[in-house]
């Protein structure tokens, strides 16, 4: 139950979950503040996505195994995010249903990034010398805890926005566009932080005998993330006042988690055809995205800069250039998010989603072509790639911001609006959508490293699968999701 500023709401239980219709529409500035927590969360995600795959290889983990480490993301997304969303649906905390989960999740993120940043230091204290076995173990534990904390936080965040927008489909799209915008801002700041190589000079205490320059830069970046996530969490959770939720009879209350999973999977048999279609497109879309998310900066370091992750300066230069490309990607993501509502209202959400996935397909195809061109091109005496190849890679990264903005907003709005009629809590609704995201991610995490290794160890085989999935999902979205008529409702500022 959520009361933004002085607005009042009435209670109406549906389907065993607390649903709070909003009598007066939530002001856009309130939605804007609530969505701001995505900025802090995504700042850490950007650091994770741009720096950690290269860093695990610098620690000595082979390329073929690096994708296995990322398996925790989809696993925790499959279990933790829907469970956290469902528990927040039924929470009776005096602080509200969603906000306690958001605060606890952000605190867990802070603890996790500190564990990752200081993994080398901890490994050194535990006896690491040349082989960093203990540092790897600490890193993997922190990495997996970070994924679980991220997933535990995002479900209640999305559900809170859905609570505030109720049955207003247009306002739901606006709220998700705000969320996508703040994700873009967090990405820009995170990737810019990851692209800068001088943080060890700004925070000199981060470098020591166990932690070299690259390690110190990573540690300093995560310390900045801690400060940022504290600020954005405060701004978000103080934007509204949530009233305590009502108690619910969930059957066997002694096993609420077990009851939840029966409830979530039992929900699938009641889903109407349009929702199944959306979930299918979501799965194909994420088969496309996950190889890029895993290997974007690694692709730039290996295949554009021809670097070796084991201490090669060319590889480090490529990773930083990849992080800069992801920053450009996030700028485009943010700009696209600003225009998302108008684009969907004019052309239809399904059409915009489909076109964006076709653009994603063309970008992955261009990456494959650029990899081939780079392999056939003579580099300079110092081994630096030609400027034209680097610029082409950066342009591809930037253009991919447009379909990423659509992926971060349109599917959530479509599911939230179509599943409302089933009487589910919004936390459980986000869990249902998340299942469609994490299952393909599990497949990619398990298969992409060995698949790439089968063809020589590069990233191109995984990107080829990604391109096919993106093309298929685009066609299905364009042809199968009906285009709605333009809406003329006004949104209160």
């Amino acid at each position: 139950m959520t009361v933004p500023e002085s607005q009042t709401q009435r209670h109406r239980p549906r389907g065993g979950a607390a649903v709070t219709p909003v009598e007066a529409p939530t002001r856009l500035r309130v939605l804007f503040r609530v969505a701001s927590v995505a900025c802090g969360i995504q700042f850490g995600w950007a650091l994770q996505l741009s720096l950690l795959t290269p860093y695990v290889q610098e620690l000595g983990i082979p390329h073929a195994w690096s994708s296995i480490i990322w398996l925790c993301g989809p696993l925790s997304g499959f279990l933790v995010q829907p469970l956290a969303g469902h528990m927040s649906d039924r929470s009776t905390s005096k602080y509200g249903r969603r906000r306690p989960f958001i605060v606890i999740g952000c605190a867990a993120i802070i603890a996790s990034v500190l564990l990752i940043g200081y993994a080398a230091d901890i490994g050194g204290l535990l006896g690491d010398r040349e082989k960093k076995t203990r540092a790897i173990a600490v890193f993997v534990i922190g990495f997996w805890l970070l994924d679980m904390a991220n997933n535990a936080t995002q479900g209640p965040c999305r559900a809170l926005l859905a609570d505030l927008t109720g049955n207003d489909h247009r306002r739901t799209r606006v709220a998700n566009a705000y969320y996508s915008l703040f994700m873009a801002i967090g990405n820009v700041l995170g990737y810019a932080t990851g692209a800068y190589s001088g943080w060890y000079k700004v925070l000199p205490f981060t470098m020591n005998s166990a932690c070299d320059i690259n390690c110190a830069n990573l540690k300093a970046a995560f310390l900045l993330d801690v400060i940022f996530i504290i600020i954005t969490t405060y701004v978000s959770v103080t934007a509204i006042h949530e009233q305590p939720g009502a108690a619910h009879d969930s059957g066997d209350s002694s096993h609420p988690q077990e009851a939840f999973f029966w409830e979530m999977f039992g929900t699938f048999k009641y889903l109407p055809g349009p929702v199944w279609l959306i979930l299918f497109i979501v799965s194909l879309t994420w088969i496309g995205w996950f190889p890029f998310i895993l290997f974007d900066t690694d692709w730039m370091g290996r295949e554009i800069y021809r670097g070796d992750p084991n201490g090669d300066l060319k590889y480090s230069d490529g990773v930083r250039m990849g992080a800069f490309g992801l920053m450009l990607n996030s700028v485009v993501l943010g700009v696209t998010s600003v225009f998302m509502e108008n684009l969907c209202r004019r052309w239809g959400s399904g059409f915009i989603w489909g076109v964006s996935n076709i653009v994603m397909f063309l970008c992955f195809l261009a990456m494959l072509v650029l990899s081939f061109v780079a392999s056939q091109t003579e580099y300079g005496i110092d081994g630096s790639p030609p400027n034209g190849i680097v610029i082409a890679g950066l342009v591809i990264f930037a253009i991919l911001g447009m379909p990423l903005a659509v992926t971060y907003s349109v599917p959530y709005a479509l599911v939230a609006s179509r599943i409302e009629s089933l009487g589910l809590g919004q936390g459980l609704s986000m869990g249902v959508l998340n299942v469609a995201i994490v299952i393909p991610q599990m497949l990619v995490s398990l298969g992409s490293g060995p698949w790439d290794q089968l063809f020589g160890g590069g990233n191109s085989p995984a990107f080829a699968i990604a391109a096919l999935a993106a093309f298929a999902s685009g066609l299905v979205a364009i042809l199968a999701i009906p285009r709605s008529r333009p809406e003329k409702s006004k949104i209160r500022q």
Side-chain angles (χ1 to χ4, degrees):
M1 288 151 242
T2 310
V3 180
E5 297 181 336
S6 62
Q7 298 175 71
T8 60
Q9 297 178 318
R10 56 189 174 84
H11 309 274
R12 181 167 59 90
R14 288 176 62 185
V19 175
T20 311
V22 182
E23 292 181 346
T26 306
R27 293 181 181 274
L28 292 186
R29 63 173 176 264
V30 176
L31 295 176
F32 192 79
R33 283 186 61 185
V34 171
S36 66
V37 70
C39 190
I41 296 172
Q42 201 65 23
F43 185 100
W45 261 116
L47 293 175
Q48 184 178 6
L49 297 176
S50 62
L51 299 180
L52 293 194
T53 291
Y55 186 61
V56 297
Q57 295 179 71
E58 290 179 18
L59 287 175
I61 299 175
H63 175 77
W65 288 97
S66 61
S67 63
I68 303 296
I69 294 177
W70 283 85
L71 183 61
C72 179
L75 278 175
S76 63
F78 184 75
L79 301 173
V80 176
Q81 186 174 127
L83 180 58
H86 178 73
M87 292 175 65
S88 70
D89 281 342
R90 297 170 180 270
S91 172
T92 57
S93 168
K94 65 179 181 179
Y95 300 108
R97 292 191 297 168
R98 316 295 184 188
R99 292 190 301 168
F101 287 87
I102 294 172
V103 172
I104 293 171
C106 289
I109 291 173
I110 290 172
S112 302
V113 299
L114 290 176
L115 196 59
I116 292 172
Y118 283 87
D121 301 76
I122 297 171
L125 290 174
L126 295 177
D128 276 348
R129 293 297 179 262
E130 292 185 4
K131 292 186 177 181
K132 300 182 178 181
T133 307
R134 297 169 183 83
I136 291 172
V138 173
F139 174 88
V140 170
I141 291 171
F143 189 95
W144 280 43
L145 288 175
L146 177 58
D147 270 330
M148 287 190 285
N150 275 324
N151 279 296
T153 307
Q154 291 194 50
C157 288
R158 295 275 192 179
L160 179 56
L161 289 174
D163 289 341
L164 292 170
T165 55
N167 292 320
D168 189 330
H169 296 176
R170 185 178 178 189
R171 190 174 290 273
T172 299
R173 291 200 302 267
V174 171
N176 280 282
Y178 283 162
Y179 197 87
S180 180
L181 173 63
F182 275 111
M183 291 178 78
I185 295 172
N187 277 337
V188 169
L189 296 174
Y191 291 135
T193 302
Y196 181 57
S197 60
W199 289 117
Y200 73 98
K201 298 178 182 177
V202 179
L203 300 175
F205 65 87
T206 57
M207 191 167 67
N208 52 50
S209 59
C211 190
D212 61 12
I213 291 177
N214 289 335
C215 168
N217 281 327
L218 179 74
K219 186 193 301 180
F222 275 126
L223 290 175
L224 295 174
D225 179 39
V226 168
I227 298 171
F228 200 65
I229 199 168
I230 290 173
I231 294 172
T232 55
T233 302
Y234 176 80
V235 170
S236 178
V237 300
T238 57
I240 55 169
H241 173 68
E242 281 192 295
Q243 297 177 1
H248 302 284
D249 180 12
S250 57
D252 186 2
S253 58
S254 64
H255 299 285
Q257 291 83 7
E258 180 181 344
F260 157 68
F261 285 110
W262 280 110
E263 181 178 347
M264 185 178 74
F265 289 112
T267 297
F268 283 95
K269 65 182 179 182
Y270 298 110
L271 297 180
V275 174
W276 275 109
L277 177 63
I278 293 169
L279 297 181
F280 176 68
I281 298 171
V282 165
S283 294
L284 286 177
T285 299
W286 278 99
I287 290 175
W289 275 122
F290 208 54
F292 178 76
I293 289 172
L294 278 177
F295 300 122
D296 41 25
T297 55
D298 183 66
W299 173 80
M300 187 71 79
R302 281 174 176 270
E303 300 183 35
I304 301 302
Y305 276 74
R306 296 180 182 173
D308 184 341
N310 298 315
D312 193 328
L313 290 178
K314 290 188 295 181
Y315 181 78
S316 298
D317 290 341
V319 168
R320 283 194 293 272
M321 186 60 69
F324 177 70
L326 292 174
M327 185 187 72
L328 299 178
N329 171 285
S330 300
V331 172
V332 175
L333 190 159
V335 172
T336 305
S337 298
V338 171
F339 297 100
M340 187 69 65
E341 160 60 16
N342 289 333
L343 289 171
C344 291
R345 183 157 43 93
R346 181 181 179 88
W347 299 101
S349 298
F351 182 77
I352 293 298
W353 191 8
V355 169
S356 74
N357 283 6
I358 297 298
V359 172
M360 178 168 62
F361 155 72
L362 293 174
C363 287
F364 291 155
L365 187 63
M367 291 177 74
L368 293 173
V369 172
L370 190 61
S371 296
F372 176 77
V373 171
S375 69
Q376 302 298 314
T377 301
E378 290 188 8
Y379 283 15
I381 298 176
D382 60 353
S384 299
N387 290 335
I389 290 179
V390 175
I391 291 172
L394 294 177
V395 169
I396 293 171
F397 275 39
I399 293 174
L400 280 167
M402 187 274 284
L404 192 59
V406 177
T407 301
Y408 282 160
S409 60
V410 169
Y412 294 93
L414 288 174
V415 168
S417 61
R418 284 163 171 77
I419 237 172
E420 177 72 21
S421 61
L422 299 178
L424 299 174
Q426 289 294 347
L428 183 58
S429 300
M430 294 302 104
V432 169
L433 175 62
N434 205 57
V435 170
I437 295 174
V438 300
I439 289 178
Q441 287 185 355
M442 289 181 193
L443 296 176
V444 173
S445 291
L446 289 170
S448 60
W451 174 256
D452 287 342
Q453 202 69 23
L454 185 65
F455 289 90
N459 296 306
S460 294
F463 285 141
I465 297 296
L468 292 174
F471 182 73
S473 62
L475 283 183
V476 175
I478 292 172
L479 298 176
I481 297 180
R483 295 177 61 178
S484 57
R485 295 180 179 179
E487 301 174 38
K488 298 182 179 180
S489 62
K490 295 181 179 180
I491 295 185
R492 186 182 177 197
Q493 299 297 319

